[in-house]
Amino acid sequence: MPIGFCIAPRAPAIDPALLAAFRGVPTPIASDNMARLFAGGTGLRPYHDGTPLLGTALTVRTRPGDNLMVHKAIDLAQPGDVIVVDAGGDLTNAIIGEIMTTLAAKKGIAGFVIDGAVRDTDSMATQPFAVYARGVTHRGPYKDGPGEINGLVSIGGMPVRPGDIVIGDADGVLAIPRDGAAEIATLCRAQMERETVILASIADGTVDRSWVDATLAARGYKP
């Protein structure tokens, strides 16, 4: 095939129980349990109605401003896939709009993560179909290529591999490597339980704040 046009085989299917383990996990909790090292870039924000995103990555790398391979990814995608597009963070041309999101939603695709621009955001804002992007422009895309599907991509400095678990909420997007995902899920659930206890103690006035002074003392602070 021509240089710059590559469609690799899709990643093996993920265990549905492992995917379900991340349902309801907030991105800050997952980030805390991934050493706070991984993120989808501070510029990525949701453009849909806020419905949380959960699915597995089908990755696309494309020339900035071009969506030919994104169209092909829609045709290849299976229900539950999240189409993650490395468009170089460029905001000159929109990569997707209402027609593509409508088609993707009809196919059961879980959502889009676009390191680039989108358009038709009025229609997106009222829909549960998840769309995360770096910005907005009315200027449409080209359809010439080149591009690649199912390879390693970088979204705002966050590496995403085909088949990674992708979660998203109002705080942003996070890709969770499938290797180690089970351990991360267990850590997330434990932290969620701890934070539930803390919030309850704040509500009833029994919260213990002694750790603040203890930490300062350990750092050498003397009142």
Side-chain angles (χ1 to χ4, degrees), residues 53-59 78 80-84 109-113 166:
L53 170 64
L54 175 64
T56 52
L58 190 162
T59 60
Q78 297 179 6
D81 283 345
V82 178
I83 299 179
V84 180
I109 293 169
F112 281 105
V113 177
V166 181

Side-chain angles (χ1 to χ4, degrees), residues 111-193:
F112 281 105
V113 177
I114 310 288
D115 195 3
V118 297
R119 66 178 183 174
D120 302 324
T121 54
D122 279 352
S123 67
M124 293 176 188
T126 62
Q127 301 298 320
F129 181 79
V131 178
Y132 290 81
R134 188 165 296 279
V136 179
T137 180
H138 55 75
R139 185 180 296 169
Y142 300 100
K143 294 176 172 59
D144 303 308
E148 298 179 347
I149 296 175
N150 284 325
L152 174 66
V153 299
S154 176
I155 304 297
M158 176 179 66
V160 185
R161 296 169 179 81
D164 281 354
I165 296 172
V166 181
I167 63 174
D169 55 26
D171 289 319
V173 182
L174 188 65
I176 300 165
R178 58 191 301 157
D179 295 337
E183 179 183 1
I184 293 169
T186 299
L187 293 171
C188 288
R189 292 295 171 183
Q191 182 171 337
M192 291 169 70
E193 291 177 4

